[in-house]
């Protein structure tokens, strides 16, 4: 039996009007009177749902095997008793209903029960809080909100790949297990096979990692950047798109222990080239999502964030602003009485400062450039002033920072001196130093936290609601 997708019907209802088709899906609602009932199902092919009208003419006596399905055929009474969440296959005629709430419906001729749903199914036809739905991440994709979120996530991910492939970037898969800390922050999850109840130690009391699986201390990666730079020196332009891990004990709406990162690296490219690429990528992703997910975006605009479409349209149509960190701090200091965290030169800008710049000053996205080197990573290109680095964060209205990047330090002496200042073990980064010894080149790159990008696209306010199975401090369910 060929099943027709609701997506196919919703795209061309006129084509299917009067046709007899079979549709499989899950019951979202079911109500009936004495001789007629209304079944609403979703099949996951699109945001739209299908209303099915069934009557007491339904016959439940035929053998399901005749229709090449082991499902049980239901009569009117059996159909009326279907619980929300049940899986069904319905055959009937599509009828256009231009004056009704939905543009088409199905007049059912046969209803087959594919899989029953227990009465205690927790997603009944009512509005549930996001907090409640977080307790059941395996079921929440069946709700309207999360159907929309995860379809947007899928479309946005594909758009990012399209953007870089069209620009002739090479997609590389960097390792998830690493022996070096790309950010130098030490917030890493350790990977080990050593028995934790009796960890082997050397004579000096230190852990004997020679007995571990890799023979050394290893961790889950916080970034694929350093490995990506190695491939950029061979292919010129590359990008990574994969999971990264941070052992930050932050229980905020914007932090997760496991998240996906997009990290391009471009050779023969300076800070300006990075900003041009990041702006073009962000606009491409937003434009593609709005074009391919109009129903989902309208849903978010109506029920999640009423200014969403207007704000995203403004991003796509605006030329991003650019301001140095020093000038931004001078501007923000004039409004210190409005902030919880006071601004001063050398501080790391907080979300409230970033949003003030984008929402009150520029009223559009803006790149803040040339940060103090003390608050940025070791690999960033030092500016001639000796105080700042060629870094730039992209800030957007409604969320603040969404992209961070820099021109990378390509001078071997400067890089090693900076590592010495920070007390870093250079032997752990020998391959990275080699890139500066063997054909060093001006190069830049950036990182986009994908979950934060999806938050921005959907208006969702918590990173836990854009990750399929969120891993956050104190939480690792399923």
């Amino acid at each position: 039996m060929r099943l027709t997708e609701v997506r196919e019907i919703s795209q061309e209802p006129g084509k299917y009007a009067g046709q007899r088709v079979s549709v499989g899906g899950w019951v979202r609602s079911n109500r009936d009177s004495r001789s007629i009932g209304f079944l609403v199902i979703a099949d996951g092919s699109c945001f739209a749902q299908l209303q099915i009208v069934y009557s007491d003419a339904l016959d439940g006596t035929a053998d399901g095997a005749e229709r090449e399905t082991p499902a049980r055929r239901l009569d009117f009474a059996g159909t009326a008793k279907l619980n929300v969440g049940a899986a069904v296959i319905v055959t009937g005629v599509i009828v256009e209903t231009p004056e009704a709430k939905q543009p088409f419906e199905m007049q059912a001729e046969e209803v087959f029960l594919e899989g029953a749903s227990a009465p205690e199914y927790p997603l009944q036809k009512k509005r549930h809080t996001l907090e409640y739905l977080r307790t059941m991440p395996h079921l929440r994709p069946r709700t309207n909100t999360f159907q929309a979120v995860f379809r947007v996530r899928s479309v946005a991910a594909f758009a990012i790949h399209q953007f870089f492939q069209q620009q002739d970037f090479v997609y590389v898969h960097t390792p998830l297990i690493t022996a070096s800390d790309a950010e130098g922050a030490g917030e890493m999850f350790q990977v080990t096979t050593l028995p934790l109840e009796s960890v082997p130690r050397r004579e000096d009391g230190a852990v004997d990692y020679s007995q571990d699986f890799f023979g050394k201390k290893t961790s889950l990666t916080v970034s694929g950047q350093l490995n990506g730079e190695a491939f950029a020196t061979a292919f010129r332009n590359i990008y990574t798109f994969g999971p990264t891990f941070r052992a930050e004990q932050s229980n905020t709406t914007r932090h997760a222990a496991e998240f996906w990162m997009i990290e391009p690296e471009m050779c023969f490219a300076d800070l300006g080239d990075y900003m041009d690429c990041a702006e073009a990528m962000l606009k491409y992703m937003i434009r593609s999502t709005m074009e391919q997910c109009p129903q989902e975006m309208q849903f978010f605009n109506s029920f999640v964030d009423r200014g969403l479409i207007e704000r995203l349209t403004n991003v796509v149509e605006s030329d991003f602003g650019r301001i140095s960190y020093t000038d931004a701090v001078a501007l923000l200091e004039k409004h210190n009485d409005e902030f919880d965290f006071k601004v001063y030169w050398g501080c790391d800008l907080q979300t409230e400062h970033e949003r003030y710049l984008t929402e009150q000053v520029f009223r559009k996205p803006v790149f803040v450039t040339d940060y103090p080197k003390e608050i940025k990573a070791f690999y960033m290109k030092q500016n001639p002033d000796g105080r700042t680095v060629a870094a730039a964060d992209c800030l957007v209205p409604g969320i603040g920072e969404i992209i961070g990047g820099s021109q990378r330090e390509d001078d071997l002496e400067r890089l090693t001196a900076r590592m010495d200042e920070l007390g870093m073990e250079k032997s752990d980064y020998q391959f990275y130093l080699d890139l500066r010894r063997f054909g060093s080149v001006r190069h830049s790159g950036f990182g986009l936290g994908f979950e934060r990008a999806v938050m921005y696209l959907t208006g969702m306010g918590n990173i836990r609601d854009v990750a399929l199975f969120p891993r956050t401090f104190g939480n690792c369910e399923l």
Side-chain angles (χ1 to χ4, degrees), residues 379-439:
Y379 51 73
M380 296 187 177
K381 180 75 174 176
Q382 296 185 50
N383 287 325
D385 61 14
R387 303 173 67 213
T388 63
V389 289
D393 289 345
C394 180
L395 316 179
V396 292
I399 194 172
E401 180 192 347
I402 195 170
I403 293 174
S406 72
Q407 185 171 339
R408 315 312 192 188
E409 182 57 75
D410 54 90
D411 183 272
L412 179 61
E413 291 186 6
R414 283 179 174 268
L415 181 59
T416 54
R418 182 61 177 149
M419 294 175 73
D420 287 337
E421 285 180 26
L422 297 172
M424 298 176 64
E425 184 56 62
K426 291 193 289 293
S427 61
D428 292 338
Y429 298 86
Q430 192 56 55
F431 84 95
Y432 195 64
L433 297 175
D434 279 350
L435 301 180
R436 276 71 183 166
R437 296 175 58 223
F438 307 132

Side-chain angles (χ1 to χ4, degrees), residues 122-138:
L123 300 178
Q124 297 302 313
K125 190 184 178 183
K126 63 179 181 178
R127 183 165 292 185
H128 300 289
T129 67
L130 297 178
E131 291 78 10
Y132 173 70
L133 293 173
R134 284 178 208 140
T135 67
M136 55 188 80
H138 58 302

